[in-house]
Amino acid sequence: MPTISVQGKTITCDRGANLRKVLLKHGIDLYNGNAKIINCMGIGTCGTCAVEIEGEVSAPNWKDKARRSLPPHSPTSNRRLACQTQVLGNIKVKKYDGFWGQGSSVIS
Ligand code: FES
């Protein structure tokens, strides 16, 4: 069972689980500020669920790539959309500041 290290917690999930759903289920602050209310609920269009991931996850799908190619995200940044990502192994997740999680300071 994969483990996820995030915001000082270690949680487990099934292999292949949707990262957004797992993080929200365990009370992790996936969204910053008003993005907690104003988000696309996992459709892959708003971009506010962006996180940095270290470890084995699914390859970026077209929604993930498309949304992250638009400002304030950048296709060259090391973020992923949690709602479009499946957990495949043990991972570390960092959430950064900014409405879209596009900032440079980690939310801990
Ligand atoms: S929740 Fe909107 S893009 Fe992931």
Side-chain angles (χ1 to χ4, degrees):
M1 209 174 232
T3 63
I4 303 171
S5 299
V6 56
Q7 294 176 355
K9 296 181 182 174
T10 302
I11 55 185
T12 59
C13 67
D14 291 332
R15 189 174 191 278
N18 178 279
L19 180 57
R20 173 184 180 270
K21 290 180 180 173
V22 174
L23 296 178
L24 292 179
K25 179 181 169 187
H26 288 86
I28 301 301
D29 289 329
L30 175 59
Y31 297 106
N32 296 334
N34 285 338
K36 290 181 174 69
I37 304 163
I38 308 166
N39 67 73
C40 74
M41 307 293 284
I43 295 171
T45 56
C46 71
T48 61
C49 66
V51 292
E52 181 182 295
I53 302 170
E54 187 183 311
E56 191 185 3
V57 294
S58 57
N61 65 18
W62 70 269
K63 286 183 179 178
D64 195 335
K65 290 179 187 173
R67 182 59 191 87
R68 287 184 302 104
S69 71
L70 300 171
H73 290 304
S74 161
T76 58
S77 78
N78 55 358
R79 306 293 149 80
R80 290 287 303 273
L81 299 184
C83 71
Q84 301 299 311
T85 301
Q86 282 76 48
V87 182
L88 300 179
N90 298 340
I91 62 173
K92 291 180 182 173
V93 174
K94 290 180 186 171
K95 180 70 185 184
Y96 287 85
D97 62 342
F99 184 82
W100 288 270
Q102 82 278 16
S104 55
S105 298
V106 175
I107 306 288
S108 53

